[in-house]
PDB file of all heavy atoms in Angstrom:
ATOM      1  N   THR B 188      11.802  11.374   8.455  1.00 95.00           N
ATOM      2  CA  THR B 188      10.785  10.349   8.235  1.00 95.00           C
ATOM      3  C   THR B 188       9.921  10.718   7.034  1.00 95.00           C
ATOM      4  O   THR B 188       9.541   9.849   6.235  1.00 95.00           O
ATOM      5  CB  THR B 188       9.918  10.204   9.507  1.00 95.00           C
ATOM      6  OG1 THR B 188      10.770  10.038  10.611  1.00 95.00           O
ATOM      7  CG2 THR B 188       8.970   9.017   9.403  1.00 95.00           C
ATOM      8  N   ILE B 189       9.615  11.993   6.911  1.00 95.00           N
ATOM      9  CA  ILE B 189       8.794  12.459   5.772  1.00 95.00           C
ATOM     10  C   ILE B 189       9.529  12.217   4.452  1.00 95.00           C
ATOM     11  O   ILE B 189       8.929  11.741   3.482  1.00 95.00           O
ATOM     12  CB  ILE B 189       8.380  13.922   5.959  1.00 95.00           C
ATOM     13  CG1 ILE B 189       7.388  14.044   7.122  1.00 95.00           C
ATOM     14  CG2 ILE B 189       7.749  14.473   4.683  1.00 95.00           C
ATOM     15  CD1 ILE B 189       7.066  15.450   7.550  1.00 95.00           C
ATOM     16  N   VAL B 190      10.838  12.489   4.447  1.00 95.00           N
ATOM     17  CA  VAL B 190      11.607  12.241   3.215  1.00 95.00           C
ATOM     18  C   VAL B 190      11.499  10.764   2.816  1.00 95.00           C
ATOM     19  O   VAL B 190      11.232  10.432   1.658  1.00 95.00           O
ATOM     20  CB  VAL B 190      13.089  12.663   3.391  1.00 95.00           C
ATOM     21  CG1 VAL B 190      13.939  12.154   2.221  1.00 95.00           C
ATOM     22  CG2 VAL B 190      13.209  14.173   3.510  1.00 95.00           C
ATOM     23  N   ALA B 191      11.686   9.894   3.808  1.00 95.00           N
ATOM     24  CA  ALA B 191      11.594   8.453   3.517  1.00 95.00           C
ATOM     25  C   ALA B 191      10.206   8.096   3.013  1.00 95.00           C
ATOM     26  O   ALA B 191      10.040   7.287   2.101  1.00 95.00           O
ATOM     27  CB  ALA B 191      11.936   7.644   4.762  1.00 95.00           C
ATOM     28  N   ASN B 192       9.182   8.728   3.589  1.00 95.00           N
ATOM     29  CA  ASN B 192       7.827   8.414   3.179  1.00 95.00           C
ATOM     30  C   ASN B 192       7.508   8.954   1.790  1.00 95.00           C
ATOM     31  O   ASN B 192       6.743   8.358   1.037  1.00 95.00           O
ATOM     32  CB  ASN B 192       6.824   8.918   4.199  1.00 95.00           C
ATOM     33  CG  ASN B 192       5.479   8.298   4.008  1.00 95.00           C
ATOM     34  OD1 ASN B 192       5.362   7.076   3.926  1.00 95.00           O
ATOM     35  ND2 ASN B 192       4.451   9.116   3.863  1.00 95.00           N
ATOM     36  N   VAL B 193       8.090  10.119   1.450  1.00 95.00           N
ATOM     37  CA  VAL B 193       7.920  10.661   0.105  1.00 95.00           C
ATOM     38  C   VAL B 193       8.572   9.713  -0.897  1.00 95.00           C
ATOM     39  O   VAL B 193       8.018   9.430  -1.955  1.00 95.00           O
ATOM     40  CB  VAL B 193       8.513  12.087   0.018  1.00 95.00           C
ATOM     41  CG1 VAL B 193       8.590  12.539  -1.426  1.00 95.00           C
ATOM     42  CG2 VAL B 193       7.684  13.044   0.829  1.00 95.00           C
ATOM     43  N   TRP B 194       9.718   9.199  -0.509  1.00 95.00           N
ATOM     44  CA  TRP B 194      10.397   8.218  -1.363  1.00 95.00           C
ATOM     45  C   TRP B 194       9.488   7.022  -1.603  1.00 95.00           C
ATOM     46  O   TRP B 194       9.395   6.486  -2.696  1.00 95.00           O
ATOM     47  CB  TRP B 194      11.681   7.765  -0.655  1.00 95.00           C
ATOM     48  CG  TRP B 194      12.601   6.920  -1.484  1.00 95.00           C
ATOM     49  CD1 TRP B 194      13.548   7.381  -2.358  1.00 95.00           C
ATOM     50  CD2 TRP B 194      12.676   5.491  -1.519  1.00 95.00           C
ATOM     51  NE1 TRP B 194      14.202   6.312  -2.916  1.00 95.00           N
ATOM     52  CE2 TRP B 194      13.681   5.142  -2.434  1.00 95.00           C
ATOM     53  CE3 TRP B 194      11.969   4.471  -0.883  1.00 95.00           C
ATOM     54  CZ2 TRP B 194      14.029   3.832  -2.720  1.00 95.00           C
ATOM     55  CZ3 TRP B 194      12.324   3.159  -1.149  1.00 95.00           C
ATOM     56  CH2 TRP B 194      13.330   2.842  -2.063  1.00 95.00           C
ATOM     57  N   ARG B 195       8.766   6.642  -0.554  1.00 94.00           N
ATOM     58  CA  ARG B 195       7.892   5.476  -0.672  1.00 94.00           C
ATOM     59  C   ARG B 195       6.621   5.776  -1.471  1.00 94.00           C
ATOM     60  O   ARG B 195       6.185   4.957  -2.278  1.00 94.00           O
ATOM     61  CB  ARG B 195       7.486   5.034   0.728  1.00 94.00           C
ATOM     62  CG  ARG B 195       6.505   3.911   0.710  1.00 94.00           C
ATOM     63  CD  ARG B 195       5.857   3.735   2.071  1.00 94.00           C
ATOM     64  NE  ARG B 195       5.202   2.429   2.123  1.00 94.00           N
ATOM     65  CZ  ARG B 195       4.570   1.968   3.177  1.00 94.00           C
ATOM     66  NH1 ARG B 195       4.507   2.701   4.270  1.00 94.00           N
ATOM     67  NH2 ARG B 195       3.997   0.792   3.152  1.00 94.00           N
ATOM     68  N   GLY B 196       6.003   6.936  -1.238  1.00 92.00           N
ATOM     69  CA  GLY B 196       4.648   7.163  -1.742  1.00 92.00           C
ATOM     70  C   GLY B 196       4.563   7.865  -3.100  1.00 92.00           C
ATOM     71  O   GLY B 196       3.490   7.923  -3.685  1.00 92.00           O
ATOM     72  N   THR B 197       5.708   8.382  -3.584  1.00 93.00           N
ATOM     73  CA  THR B 197       5.637   9.133  -4.839  1.00 93.00           C
ATOM     74  C   THR B 197       5.204   8.226  -5.994  1.00 93.00           C
ATOM     75  O   THR B 197       4.513   8.681  -6.911  1.00 93.00           O
ATOM     76  CB  THR B 197       6.998   9.785  -5.129  1.00 93.00           C
ATOM     77  OG1 THR B 197       7.261  10.700  -4.072  1.00 93.00           O
ATOM     78  CG2 THR B 197       6.995  10.538  -6.441  1.00 93.00           C
ATOM     79  N   ALA B 198       5.598   6.956  -5.937  1.00 91.00           N
ATOM     80  CA  ALA B 198       5.286   6.047  -7.042  1.00 91.00           C
ATOM     81  C   ALA B 198       3.789   6.021  -7.336  1.00 91.00           C
ATOM     82  O   ALA B 198       3.358   6.192  -8.496  1.00 91.00           O
ATOM     83  CB  ALA B 198       5.767   4.639  -6.706  1.00 91.00           C
ATOM     84  N   GLN B 199       2.993   5.823  -6.311  1.00 88.00           N
ATOM     85  CA  GLN B 199       1.542   5.734  -6.474  1.00 88.00           C
ATOM     86  C   GLN B 199       0.994   7.018  -7.093  1.00 88.00           C
ATOM     87  O   GLN B 199       0.193   7.004  -8.026  1.00 88.00           O
ATOM     88  CB  GLN B 199       0.922   5.507  -5.094  1.00 88.00           C
ATOM     89  CG  GLN B 199      -0.592   5.558  -5.084  1.00 88.00           C
ATOM     90  CD  GLN B 199      -1.188   4.167  -5.161  1.00 88.00           C
ATOM     91  OE1 GLN B 199      -0.513   3.175  -4.881  1.00 88.00           O
ATOM     92  NE2 GLN B 199      -2.423   4.088  -5.579  1.00 88.00           N
ATOM     93  N   SER B 200       1.489   8.130  -6.570  1.00 90.00           N
ATOM     94  CA  SER B 200       1.052   9.434  -7.041  1.00 90.00           C
ATOM     95  C   SER B 200       1.464   9.650  -8.496  1.00 90.00           C
ATOM     96  O   SER B 200       0.693  10.135  -9.332  1.00 90.00           O
ATOM     97  CB  SER B 200       1.705  10.463  -6.123  1.00 90.00           C
ATOM     98  OG  SER B 200       1.347  11.710  -6.468  1.00 90.00           O
ATOM     99  N   MET B 201       2.693   9.249  -8.802  1.00 91.00           N
ATOM    100  CA  MET B 201       3.208   9.454 -10.141  1.00 91.00           C
ATOM    101  C   MET B 201       2.430   8.620 -11.163  1.00 91.00           C
ATOM    102  O   MET B 201       2.081   9.125 -12.225  1.00 91.00           O
ATOM    103  CB  MET B 201       4.696   9.059 -10.163  1.00 91.00           C
ATOM    104  CG  MET B 201       5.383   9.273 -11.484  1.00 91.00           C
ATOM    105  SD  MET B 201       5.542   7.704 -12.320  1.00 91.00           S
ATOM    106  CE  MET B 201       5.823   8.191 -13.982  1.00 91.00           C
ATOM    107  N   ILE B 202       2.142   7.374 -10.822  1.00 88.00           N
ATOM    108  CA  ILE B 202       1.506   6.504 -11.813  1.00 88.00           C
ATOM    109  C   ILE B 202       0.079   6.995 -12.116  1.00 88.00           C
ATOM    110  O   ILE B 202      -0.368   6.984 -13.259  1.00 88.00           O
ATOM    111  CB  ILE B 202       1.540   5.007 -11.394  1.00 88.00           C
ATOM    112  CG1 ILE B 202       1.099   4.111 -12.539  1.00 88.00           C
ATOM    113  CG2 ILE B 202       0.682   4.732 -10.184  1.00 88.00           C
ATOM    114  CD1 ILE B 202       2.012   4.145 -13.704  1.00 88.00           C
ATOM    115  N   LEU B 203      -0.612   7.478 -11.094  1.00 87.00           N
ATOM    116  CA  LEU B 203      -1.965   7.977 -11.344  1.00 87.00           C
ATOM    117  C   LEU B 203      -1.928   9.234 -12.205  1.00 87.00           C
ATOM    118  O   LEU B 203      -2.695   9.381 -13.157  1.00 87.00           O
ATOM    119  CB  LEU B 203      -2.672   8.270 -10.015  1.00 87.00           C
ATOM    120  CG  LEU B 203      -3.117   7.064  -9.204  1.00 87.00           C
ATOM    121  CD1 LEU B 203      -3.845   7.495  -7.952  1.00 87.00           C
ATOM    122  CD2 LEU B 203      -4.019   6.157 -10.020  1.00 87.00           C
ATOM    123  N   THR B 204      -1.017  10.144 -11.863  1.00 89.00           N
ATOM    124  CA  THR B 204      -0.907  11.377 -12.633  1.00 89.00           C
ATOM    125  C   THR B 204      -0.503  11.084 -14.082  1.00 89.00           C
ATOM    126  O   THR B 204      -1.044  11.644 -15.032  1.00 89.00           O
ATOM    127  CB  THR B 204       0.123  12.315 -11.988  1.00 89.00           C
ATOM    128  OG1 THR B 204      -0.084  12.322 -10.593  1.00 89.00           O
ATOM    129  CG2 THR B 204      -0.021  13.717 -12.531  1.00 89.00           C
ATOM    130  N   TYR B 205       0.433  10.155 -14.211  1.00 89.00           N
ATOM    131  CA  TYR B 205       0.925   9.769 -15.531  1.00 89.00           C
ATOM    132  C   TYR B 205      -0.210   9.197 -16.380  1.00 89.00           C
ATOM    133  O   TYR B 205      -0.391   9.577 -17.537  1.00 89.00           O
ATOM    134  CB  TYR B 205       2.042   8.746 -15.352  1.00 89.00           C
ATOM    135  CG  TYR B 205       2.586   8.143 -16.608  1.00 89.00           C
ATOM    136  CD1 TYR B 205       3.503   8.828 -17.406  1.00 89.00           C
ATOM    137  CD2 TYR B 205       2.215   6.861 -16.990  1.00 89.00           C
ATOM    138  CE1 TYR B 205       4.011   8.275 -18.535  1.00 89.00           C
ATOM    139  CE2 TYR B 205       2.724   6.272 -18.127  1.00 89.00           C
ATOM    140  CZ  TYR B 205       3.618   6.983 -18.907  1.00 89.00           C
ATOM    141  OH  TYR B 205       4.131   6.408 -20.040  1.00 89.00           O
ATOM    142  N   ALA B 206      -1.005   8.313 -15.762  1.00 85.00           N
ATOM    143  CA  ALA B 206      -2.146   7.743 -16.500  1.00 85.00           C
ATOM    144  C   ALA B 206      -3.148   8.833 -16.841  1.00 85.00           C
ATOM    145  O   ALA B 206      -3.763   8.807 -17.905  1.00 85.00           O
ATOM    146  CB  ALA B 206      -2.803   6.655 -15.643  1.00 85.00           C
ATOM    147  N   GLY B 207      -3.310   9.800 -15.950  1.00 86.00           N
ATOM    148  CA  GLY B 207      -4.207  10.922 -16.231  1.00 86.00           C
ATOM    149  C   GLY B 207      -3.714  11.740 -17.416  1.00 86.00           C
ATOM    150  O   GLY B 207      -4.493  12.113 -18.307  1.00 86.00           O
ATOM    151  N   LEU B 208      -2.409  11.979 -17.468  1.00 86.00           N
ATOM    152  CA  LEU B 208      -1.837  12.745 -18.575  1.00 86.00           C
ATOM    153  C   LEU B 208      -2.084  12.062 -19.919  1.00 86.00           C
ATOM    154  O   LEU B 208      -2.329  12.711 -20.927  1.00 86.00           O
ATOM    155  CB  LEU B 208      -0.321  12.915 -18.388  1.00 86.00           C
ATOM    156  CG  LEU B 208       0.162  13.876 -17.313  1.00 86.00           C
ATOM    157  CD1 LEU B 208       1.668  13.873 -17.248  1.00 86.00           C
ATOM    158  CD2 LEU B 208      -0.340  15.290 -17.589  1.00 86.00           C
ATOM    159  N   LYS B 209      -2.022  10.730 -19.876  1.00 83.00           N
ATOM    160  CA  LYS B 209      -2.199   9.969 -21.135  1.00 83.00           C
ATOM    161  C   LYS B 209      -3.614  10.099 -21.673  1.00 83.00           C
ATOM    162  O   LYS B 209      -3.870   9.789 -22.845  1.00 83.00           O
ATOM    163  CB  LYS B 209      -1.883   8.483 -20.907  1.00 83.00           C
ATOM    164  CG  LYS B 209      -0.437   8.212 -20.633  1.00 83.00           C
ATOM    165  CD  LYS B 209       0.369   8.255 -21.902  1.00 83.00           C
ATOM    166  CE  LYS B 209       1.862   8.197 -21.602  1.00 83.00           C
ATOM    167  NZ  LYS B 209       2.681   8.849 -22.587  1.00 83.00           N
ATOM    168  N   THR B 210      -4.561  10.521 -20.816  1.00 81.00           N
ATOM    169  CA  THR B 210      -5.952  10.626 -21.299  1.00 81.00           C
ATOM    170  C   THR B 210      -6.241  12.004 -21.909  1.00 81.00           C
ATOM    171  O   THR B 210      -7.300  12.210 -22.477  1.00 81.00           O
ATOM    172  CB  THR B 210      -6.942  10.399 -20.151  1.00 81.00           C
ATOM    173  OG1 THR B 210      -6.798  11.450 -19.199  1.00 81.00           O
ATOM    174  CG2 THR B 210      -6.735   9.065 -19.466  1.00 81.00           C
ATOM    175  N   ILE B 211      -5.292  12.940 -21.766  1.00 82.00           N
ATOM    176  CA  ILE B 211      -5.536  14.246 -22.367  1.00 82.00           C
ATOM    177  C   ILE B 211      -5.332  14.136 -23.882  1.00 82.00           C
ATOM    178  O   ILE B 211      -4.262  13.724 -24.327  1.00 82.00           O
ATOM    179  CB  ILE B 211      -4.575  15.317 -21.812  1.00 82.00           C
ATOM    180  CG1 ILE B 211      -4.676  15.383 -20.295  1.00 82.00           C
ATOM    181  CG2 ILE B 211      -4.836  16.682 -22.424  1.00 82.00           C
ATOM    182  CD1 ILE B 211      -3.684  16.347 -19.686  1.00 82.00           C
ATOM    183  N   PRO B 212      -6.346  14.491 -24.657  1.00 81.00           N
ATOM    184  CA  PRO B 212      -6.176  14.398 -26.119  1.00 81.00           C
ATOM    185  C   PRO B 212      -5.031  15.300 -26.572  1.00 81.00           C
ATOM    186  O   PRO B 212      -4.940  16.446 -26.124  1.00 81.00           O
ATOM    187  CB  PRO B 212      -7.507  14.902 -26.672  1.00 81.00           C
ATOM    188  CG  PRO B 212      -8.457  14.814 -25.533  1.00 81.00           C
ATOM    189  CD  PRO B 212      -7.656  14.986 -24.291  1.00 81.00           C
ATOM    190  N   ILE B 213      -4.183  14.770 -27.431  1.00 77.00           N
ATOM    191  CA  ILE B 213      -2.987  15.494 -27.831  1.00 77.00           C
ATOM    192  C   ILE B 213      -3.333  16.797 -28.561  1.00 77.00           C
ATOM    193  O   ILE B 213      -2.617  17.792 -28.494  1.00 77.00           O
ATOM    194  CB  ILE B 213      -2.058  14.578 -28.691  1.00 77.00           C
ATOM    195  CG1 ILE B 213      -0.674  15.156 -28.828  1.00 77.00           C
ATOM    196  CG2 ILE B 213      -2.659  14.305 -30.046  1.00 77.00           C
ATOM    197  CD1 ILE B 213       0.240  14.841 -27.702  1.00 77.00           C
ATOM    198  N   ASP B 214      -4.510  16.804 -29.267  1.00 79.00           N
ATOM    199  CA  ASP B 214      -4.835  18.010 -30.034  1.00 79.00           C
ATOM    200  C   ASP B 214      -5.163  19.219 -29.134  1.00 79.00           C
ATOM    201  O   ASP B 214      -4.960  20.344 -29.549  1.00 79.00           O
ATOM    202  CB  ASP B 214      -5.974  17.752 -31.033  1.00 79.00           C
ATOM    203  CG  ASP B 214      -7.010  16.786 -30.501  1.00 79.00           C
ATOM    204  OD1 ASP B 214      -6.586  15.829 -29.838  1.00 79.00           O
ATOM    205  OD2 ASP B 214      -8.196  17.002 -30.709  1.00 79.00           O
ATOM    206  N   ILE B 215      -5.626  18.944 -27.925  1.00 78.00           N
ATOM    207  CA  ILE B 215      -5.889  20.080 -27.016  1.00 78.00           C
ATOM    208  C   ILE B 215      -4.588  20.795 -26.700  1.00 78.00           C
ATOM    209  O   ILE B 215      -4.491  22.015 -26.753  1.00 78.00           O
ATOM    210  CB  ILE B 215      -6.522  19.588 -25.693  1.00 78.00           C
ATOM    211  CG1 ILE B 215      -7.910  18.997 -25.962  1.00 78.00           C
ATOM    212  CG2 ILE B 215      -6.623  20.720 -24.681  1.00 78.00           C
ATOM    213  CD1 ILE B 215      -8.647  18.623 -24.708  1.00 78.00           C
ATOM    214  N   ILE B 216      -3.550  20.000 -26.429  1.00 75.00           N
ATOM    215  CA  ILE B 216      -2.256  20.603 -26.103  1.00 75.00           C
ATOM    216  C   ILE B 216      -1.681  21.305 -27.315  1.00 75.00           C
ATOM    217  O   ILE B 216      -1.180  22.432 -27.217  1.00 75.00           O
ATOM    218  CB  ILE B 216      -1.301  19.508 -25.571  1.00 75.00           C
ATOM    219  CG1 ILE B 216      -1.839  18.970 -24.239  1.00 75.00           C
ATOM    220  CG2 ILE B 216       0.109  20.057 -25.391  1.00 75.00           C
ATOM    221  CD1 ILE B 216      -1.102  17.798 -23.689  1.00 75.00           C
ATOM    222  N   GLU B 217      -1.821  20.664 -28.476  1.00 76.00           N
ATOM    223  CA  GLU B 217      -1.289  21.291 -29.691  1.00 76.00           C
ATOM    224  C   GLU B 217      -2.028  22.580 -30.003  1.00 76.00           C
ATOM    225  O   GLU B 217      -1.407  23.584 -30.387  1.00 76.00           O
ATOM    226  CB  GLU B 217      -1.392  20.311 -30.867  1.00 76.00           C
ATOM    227  CG  GLU B 217      -0.202  19.365 -30.910  1.00 76.00           C
ATOM    228  CD  GLU B 217      -0.367  18.233 -31.891  1.00 76.00           C
ATOM    229  OE1 GLU B 217      -1.396  18.221 -32.576  1.00 76.00           O
ATOM    230  OE2 GLU B 217       0.526  17.394 -31.936  1.00 76.00           O
ATOM    231  N   ALA B 218      -3.349  22.554 -29.799  1.00 79.00           N
ATOM    232  CA  ALA B 218      -4.140  23.778 -30.063  1.00 79.00           C
ATOM    233  C   ALA B 218      -3.656  24.921 -29.194  1.00 79.00           C
ATOM    234  O   ALA B 218      -3.486  26.054 -29.655  1.00 79.00           O
ATOM    235  CB  ALA B 218      -5.626  23.501 -29.821  1.00 79.00           C
ATOM    236  N   SER B 219      -3.389  24.612 -27.900  1.00 77.00           N
ATOM    237  CA  SER B 219      -2.941  25.679 -27.011  1.00 77.00           C
ATOM    238  C   SER B 219      -1.556  26.170 -27.393  1.00 77.00           C
ATOM    239  O   SER B 219      -1.225  27.317 -27.226  1.00 77.00           O
ATOM    240  CB  SER B 219      -2.979  25.219 -25.558  1.00 77.00           C
ATOM    241  OG  SER B 219      -1.968  24.287 -25.343  1.00 77.00           O
ATOM    242  N   GLN B 220      -0.753  25.245 -27.965  1.00 75.00           N
ATOM    243  CA  GLN B 220       0.578  25.615 -28.414  1.00 75.00           C
ATOM    244  C   GLN B 220       0.479  26.623 -29.577  1.00 75.00           C
ATOM    245  O   GLN B 220       1.171  27.624 -29.615  1.00 75.00           O
ATOM    246  CB  GLN B 220       1.348  24.380 -28.887  1.00 75.00           C
ATOM    247  CG  GLN B 220       2.481  24.036 -27.972  1.00 75.00           C
ATOM    248  CD  GLN B 220       2.950  22.631 -28.196  1.00 75.00           C
ATOM    249  OE1 GLN B 220       2.233  21.769 -28.702  1.00 75.00           O
ATOM    250  NE2 GLN B 220       4.186  22.360 -27.787  1.00 75.00           N
ATOM    251  N   ILE B 221      -0.448  26.303 -30.514  1.00 78.00           N
ATOM    252  CA  ILE B 221      -0.630  27.184 -31.672  1.00 78.00           C
ATOM    253  C   ILE B 221      -1.165  28.535 -31.219  1.00 78.00           C
ATOM    254  O   ILE B 221      -0.768  29.577 -31.743  1.00 78.00           O
ATOM    255  CB  ILE B 221      -1.610  26.514 -32.674  1.00 78.00           C
ATOM    256  CG1 ILE B 221      -0.913  25.286 -33.311  1.00 78.00           C
ATOM    257  CG2 ILE B 221      -2.036  27.482 -33.784  1.00 78.00           C
ATOM    258  CD1 ILE B 221      -1.827  24.356 -34.024  1.00 78.00           C
ATOM    259  N   ASP B 222      -2.015  28.527 -30.198  1.00 78.00           N
ATOM    260  CA  ASP B 222      -2.529  29.776 -29.657  1.00 78.00           C
ATOM    261  C   ASP B 222      -1.462  30.606 -28.978  1.00 78.00           C
ATOM    262  O   ASP B 222      -1.709  31.715 -28.494  1.00 78.00           O
ATOM    263  CB  ASP B 222      -3.667  29.510 -28.660  1.00 78.00           C
ATOM    264  CG  ASP B 222      -4.923  29.054 -29.363  1.00 78.00           C
ATOM    265  OD1 ASP B 222      -4.962  29.172 -30.604  1.00 78.00           O
ATOM    266  OD2 ASP B 222      -5.837  28.545 -28.696  1.00 78.00           O
ATOM    267  N   GLY B 223      -0.266  30.039 -28.845  1.00 75.00           N
ATOM    268  CA  GLY B 223       0.838  30.795 -28.286  1.00 75.00           C
ATOM    269  C   GLY B 223       0.982  30.702 -26.790  1.00 75.00           C
ATOM    270  O   GLY B 223       1.662  31.525 -26.186  1.00 75.00           O
ATOM    271  N   ALA B 224       0.359  29.703 -26.179  1.00 73.00           N
ATOM    272  CA  ALA B 224       0.504  29.547 -24.736  1.00 73.00           C
ATOM    273  C   ALA B 224       1.901  29.043 -24.435  1.00 73.00           C
ATOM    274  O   ALA B 224       2.403  28.153 -25.113  1.00 73.00           O
ATOM    275  CB  ALA B 224      -0.537  28.582 -24.224  1.00 73.00           C
ATOM    276  N   ASN B 225       2.544  29.613 -23.408  1.00 78.00           N
ATOM    277  CA  ASN B 225       3.861  29.088 -23.044  1.00 78.00           C
ATOM    278  C   ASN B 225       3.691  27.858 -22.150  1.00 78.00           C
ATOM    279  O   ASN B 225       2.561  27.505 -21.768  1.00 78.00           O
ATOM    280  CB  ASN B 225       4.720  30.167 -22.386  1.00 78.00           C
ATOM    281  CG  ASN B 225       4.123  30.655 -21.079  1.00 78.00           C
ATOM    282  OD1 ASN B 225       3.497  29.895 -20.343  1.00 78.00           O
ATOM    283  ND2 ASN B 225       4.313  31.930 -20.796  1.00 78.00           N
ATOM    284  N   ALA B 226       4.812  27.247 -21.825  1.00 76.00           N
ATOM    285  CA  ALA B 226       4.743  25.958 -21.118  1.00 76.00           C
ATOM    286  C   ALA B 226       3.972  26.088 -19.812  1.00 76.00           C
ATOM    287  O   ALA B 226       3.166  25.250 -19.462  1.00 76.00           O
ATOM    288  CB  ALA B 226       6.165  25.450 -20.843  1.00 76.00           C
ATOM    289  N   PHE B 227       4.220  27.203 -19.081  1.00 80.00           N
ATOM    290  CA  PHE B 227       3.559  27.363 -17.795  1.00 80.00           C
ATOM    291  C   PHE B 227       2.059  27.538 -17.951  1.00 80.00           C
ATOM    292  O   PHE B 227       1.259  26.929 -17.245  1.00 80.00           O
ATOM    293  CB  PHE B 227       4.152  28.562 -17.054  1.00 80.00           C
ATOM    294  CG  PHE B 227       3.557  28.754 -15.693  1.00 80.00           C
ATOM    295  CD1 PHE B 227       3.914  27.909 -14.636  1.00 80.00           C
ATOM    296  CD2 PHE B 227       2.616  29.755 -15.480  1.00 80.00           C
ATOM    297  CE1 PHE B 227       3.337  28.068 -13.401  1.00 80.00           C
ATOM    298  CE2 PHE B 227       2.036  29.918 -14.235  1.00 80.00           C
ATOM    299  CZ  PHE B 227       2.393  29.083 -13.194  1.00 80.00           C
TER     300      PHE B 227
END
Side-chain angles (χ1 to χ4, degrees):
Chain B
T188 309
I189 291 171
V190 168
N192 196 51
V193 169
W194 189 85
R195 176 195 196 179
T197 298
Q199 173 96 20
S200 181
M201 182 259 161
I202 190 65
L203 287 182
T204 316
Y205 175 79
L208 287 178
K209 292 283 171 208
T210 65
I211 303 176
I213 194 84
D214 36 321
I215 294 186
I216 294 172
E217 275 170 3
S219 71
Q220 248 162 338
I221 291 165
D222 288 348
N225 63 34
F227 182 75

